[in-house]
Amino acid sequence: MAAGDTKLRSIAWAGDELLLLSYSQTEELPFGFTGDLIEVYRVMIVSVDSKKKPETIFLNKRGIANATFGSYGVRKVDGKWTGYYGGILFKQEGSGTYKFDHGRPALMAVDLERNEPKIASYPASEGAYRDWVVGPDGEIAAQLDFYDRDGSWRIENSKGNTIAKGQKPDGRISLISLGTDGTTAIYSTSDEEGGARHFYEVALTGGEPKEILEGKNATAISYNSMTGLMDGYYRESGLPVFFAKEDQMAAQKIWGSFGSGGTNMVDWSDDVSKVIVRRSGEGVAGDWYIVEIPTSGLLKLGSERPDLPADMIGEIRTVDYTAADGLEMDGILTLPPARDAKNLPLVVLPHGGPHSHDSAVFDWWAQAFASRGYAVFQPNFRGSTDQDVTFMRAGYGEWGRKMQTDISDGVAELVKQGIVNPDRACIMGASYGGYAALAGVTIEQGKYKCAVSVGGVSNLDTLYRTGYIEMSGRSKLTQKRLLEELGPRESLKTYSPEEQASKADAPVLLIHGLDDTVVPFEHSKRMADALKNAGKPYKLVELKSEDHWLSRAETRNQMLKEAIAFVEKYNPAN
């Protein structure tokens, strides 16, 4: 089955006969909605029996929107595979017609063989958010309700009895899974100050919640997607830790064979006897394997870039450095093949998010520039997620401030080591990285010969208004989070590249998808207008039918060709 231009997001199985394909597409919203575009997610049911036509969940079902809003697992109920998805119910009017009522999803149980949905749980009340955990038997085992008006929350069991409650005005409360034996529920909260995450277990029959995984450096819970039962956890390194001894031994066997760096356990059988593994990093552009643990069998499934030989992949290093205020951090340095690591031209490539991070793995943006003779530096500035939560939260309120100078401090370290030439540097990024690129030549000056922003934020006040007013409907919780993230509203213009366009001291390339629903195209259009009015050199490239994530091959290539040509023009590698 050819996927073509379908934006495929994930693949899952329901038994051995049905494949579930999650995909998305950008669609226009009708008049009356606060936004113009929405990225709509759907799930297609594909039978291994080629005589059966694929069907899309909720398609042509009266009274329910043709889209899914969250996935809550797959269970075998009374011998039938049932998928649990969030669905938007319409309000029925006279003569059998329906109209949009509100956007709070209900939990729908879908008979996957017949593609027939039924309501498993109704939506939350107005001003509330609802989440569910579905038990192995297909019944709702636990339900979380969070109330935006005062930050109160409660978790109920299947009988509607409250088993845990509290108040989190910042909204940092999550219902995750069931415990290891199905008699408890697992949830987490995060500290408002310091940001540490705490995991709790509470009996479904009620009782005092108990904190678990203390001192384990746990960042997330691992659970079985077919049962909802907790089976382990993830640490800051990203490696799973299984509770079952034999499962942990299987995982350790993989790390012993491959080494943990750049190795991901993508999926595994229930007994962890067969594991799909992906490798990426030094000399490896993305290879996939099936590992059979009992026999140590290894089957290579394929390579993401089979035509790219290992000697064309640049060396990847981790560079440790210290910011001006003493905060320790690191960055990823990709070096050009067959060139000495001395006095090199540089492309600085800050990541998006900003709560994300770069690792020492194959990065197609970085390697594309390295192949042209550039060193590429990807700094994990404060706000990144490669350290603890405190480091991540250190980025709050630091857009254009310390998060920006962290990038410059990393470049200074490379200069100190003699690896790069500070007079031959450009900066490029996407999303938040696009903001950092624009800030690098407007809020900062004298550091870069050019800047490339791909789907980047240009105006913090616009970002604030879009998130607070348009997307959340003036949610006080969203307002608090945005101001915590961006900084005080009275300073947003000061740290907005659009407002500082007259200070731009290097040419700017703006690349933006017209279907971007995360950072609307308006950001690049207004930045282009501001640069034009200020008489500054710039170029604006529109990516037709492209979203925030560069999901289409054609426009990915278009972006890369435009960016490389621009950097080579203003900062030649030779």
Side-chain angles (χ1 to χ4, degrees):
M1 180 179 179
D5 288 334
T6 302
K7 294 192 287 188
L8 190 62
R9 302 302 187 189
S10 67
I11 301 173
W13 284 96
D16 295 327
E17 306 298 324
L18 300 175
L19 193 63
L20 305 175
L21 307 182
S22 175
Y23 64 99
S24 76
Q25 60 190 69
T26 312
E27 295 184 4
E28 293 186 6
L29 286 167
F31 177 78
F33 285 83
T34 54
D36 298 323
L37 298 174
I38 184 174
E39 193 71 12
V40 176
Y41 290 78
R42 296 186 173 91
V43 176
M44 182 183 296
I45 307 169
V46 180
S47 173
V48 296
D49 183 354
S50 59
K51 296 178 182 178
K52 297 181 179 180
K53 294 182 178 181
E55 294 189 23
T56 299
I57 289 174
F58 302 151
L59 181 63
N60 297 324
K61 302 297 182 182
R62 289 170 59 84
I64 185 169
N66 175 23
T68 57
F69 297 84
S71 175
Y72 297 87
V74 174
R75 307 286 186 266
K76 197 167 189 179
V77 182
D78 297 330
K80 298 178 181 179
W81 286 107
T82 304
Y84 294 83
Y85 301 94
I88 300 296
L89 302 176
F90 293 149
K91 184 178 181 180
Q92 186 172 8
E93 295 185 319
S95 66
T97 60
Y98 294 86
K99 73 172 186 177
F100 180 83
D101 187 18
H102 57 75
R104 302 184 298 277
L107 181 64
M108 308 299 295
V110 182
D111 181 333
L112 296 173
E113 185 67 38
R114 300 170 58 231
N115 191 19
E116 286 295 333
K118 65 178 182 180
I119 300 172
S121 178
Y122 284 92
S125 58
E126 186 174 358
Y129 161 82
R130 178 167 288 176
D131 198 7
W132 302 273
V133 165
V134 179
D137 58 358
E139 297 296 321
I140 298 173
Q143 175 180 292
L144 166 69
D145 282 301
F146 174 83
Y147 298 92
D148 188 56
R149 63 181 181 270
D150 60 0
S152 62
W153 61 269
R154 70 170 183 267
I155 297 175
E156 296 180 348
N157 60 18
S158 59
K159 297 180 179 179
N161 298 324
T162 299
I163 57 175
K165 63 181 180 179
Q167 201 157 14
K168 288 292 293 180
D170 59 5
R172 293 185 173 94
I173 168 74
S174 300
L175 180 62
I176 302 174
S177 68
L178 295 178
T180 55
D181 62 2
T183 65
T184 59
I186 307 296
Y187 68 94
S188 73
T189 65
S190 296
D191 293 341
E192 191 163 356
E193 295 183 5
R197 192 176 187 189
H198 304 274
F199 297 93
Y200 296 92
E201 185 171 28
V202 59
L204 293 176
T205 55
E208 188 70 22
K210 295 181 180 180
E211 187 168 359
I212 60 174
L213 303 179
E214 291 182 89
K216 301 290 187 182
N217 295 322
T219 58
I221 298 295
S222 171
Y223 57 88
N224 188 301
S225 62
M226 292 294 176
T227 64
L229 301 183
M230 177 183 180
D231 57 16
Y233 60 94
Y234 291 91
R235 294 179 295 199
E236 291 168 4
S237 62
L239 307 181
V241 177
F242 294 102
F243 292 137
K245 183 178 180 179
E246 58 273 18
D247 295 348
Q248 184 60 21
M249 290 177 63
Q252 290 173 346
K253 193 170 185 178
I254 289 176
W255 307 140
S257 301
F258 287 96
S260 58
T263 299
N264 289 347
M265 289 176 61
V266 179
D267 203 359
W268 49 86
S269 58
D270 286 341
D271 59 0
V272 198
S273 63
K274 291 186 178 181
V275 181
I276 297 177
V277 174
R278 178 182 181 270
R279 284 282 293 151
S280 172
E282 192 74 43
V284 182
D287 291 345
W288 291 68
Y289 301 87
I290 286 183
V291 182
E292 294 195 13
I293 300 298
T295 64
S296 298
L298 185 68
L299 173 65
K300 187 173 182 178
L301 294 174
S303 299
E304 294 171 15
R305 298 168 180 85
D307 297 330
L308 185 61
D311 60 4
M312 287 185 65
I313 300 175
E315 179 188 349
I316 307 167
R317 300 179 184 176
T318 299
V319 178
D320 297 317
Y321 67 99
T322 303
D325 64 355
L327 190 61
E328 295 181 352
M329 57 194 66
D330 63 32
I332 308 303
L333 178 65
T334 302
L335 295 169
R339 289 191 67 169
D340 291 335
K342 297 179 180 179
N343 203 38
L344 293 169
L346 174 67
V347 173
V348 181
L349 188 62
H351 59 71
H355 303 311
S356 177
H357 70 273
D358 287 309
S359 304
V361 298
F362 182 96
D363 183 292
W364 60 280
W365 289 33
Q367 293 288 344
F369 279 96
S371 72
R372 268 75 175 177
Y374 297 92
V376 182
F377 181 59
Q378 298 169 275
N380 287 319
F381 43 83
R382 72 191 69 205
S384 302
T385 55
D386 62 322
Q387 297 190 38
D388 57 20
V389 181
T390 302
F391 183 81
M392 184 271 289
R393 288 179 61 85
Y396 283 13
E398 297 295 344
W399 286 51
R401 302 170 180 84
K402 290 183 179 179
M403 291 168 74
Q404 196 69 32
T405 57
D406 286 348
I407 297 172
S408 305
D409 292 337
V411 175
E413 175 63 27
L414 298 179
V415 173
K416 180 182 177 181
Q417 294 184 22
I419 297 173
V420 304
N421 186 334
D423 298 323
R424 301 176 64 195
C426 283
I427 184 168
M428 173 181 177
S431 194
Y432 174 83
Y435 166 83
L438 296 175
V441 297
T442 56
I443 296 168
E444 291 184 305
Q445 288 91 35
K447 298 186 180 297
Y448 304 106
K449 297 179 73 67
C450 67
V452 181
S453 169
V454 181
V457 173
S458 69
N459 192 301
L460 298 186
D461 193 59
T462 299
L463 183 66
Y464 167 80
R465 286 187 288 104
T466 300
Y468 170 47
I469 298 174
E470 295 184 8
M471 302 304 293
S472 76
R474 297 183 182 273
S475 163
K476 294 297 183 183
L477 175 61
T478 300
Q479 181 185 39
K480 180 179 179 180
R481 283 188 171 181
L482 283 169
L483 293 178
E484 180 183 46
E485 180 81 26
L486 301 175
R489 190 171 185 189
E490 59 268 19
S491 69
L492 296 185
K493 287 187 177 181
T494 302
Y495 295 98
S496 293
E498 179 196 333
E499 300 288 347
Q500 308 300 325
S502 62
K503 298 179 182 179
D505 65 346
V508 175
L509 173 61
L510 301 158
I511 305 176
H512 215 123
L514 294 177
D515 289 351
D516 194 328
T517 58
V518 178
V519 179
F521 177 76
E522 171 192 11
H523 279 265
S524 286
K525 180 65 171 64
R526 289 178 52 171
M527 186 70 196
D529 291 342
L531 291 167
K532 180 180 180 180
N533 293 337
K536 302 295 183 178
Y538 77 94
K539 181 179 181 181
L540 175 61
V541 176
E542 301 177 359
L543 302 180
K544 296 181 179 179
S545 303
E546 185 53 273
D547 56 30
H548 187 67
W549 307 280
L550 296 173
S551 298
R552 299 176 58 244
E554 180 182 348
T555 40
R556 280 198 297 273
N557 285 325
Q558 180 187 357
M559 178 281 296
L560 204 54
K561 289 177 181 178
E562 291 277 2
I564 289 173
F566 192 82
V567 171
E568 288 182 330
K569 177 179 179 179
Y570 292 104
N571 186 29
N574 298 309

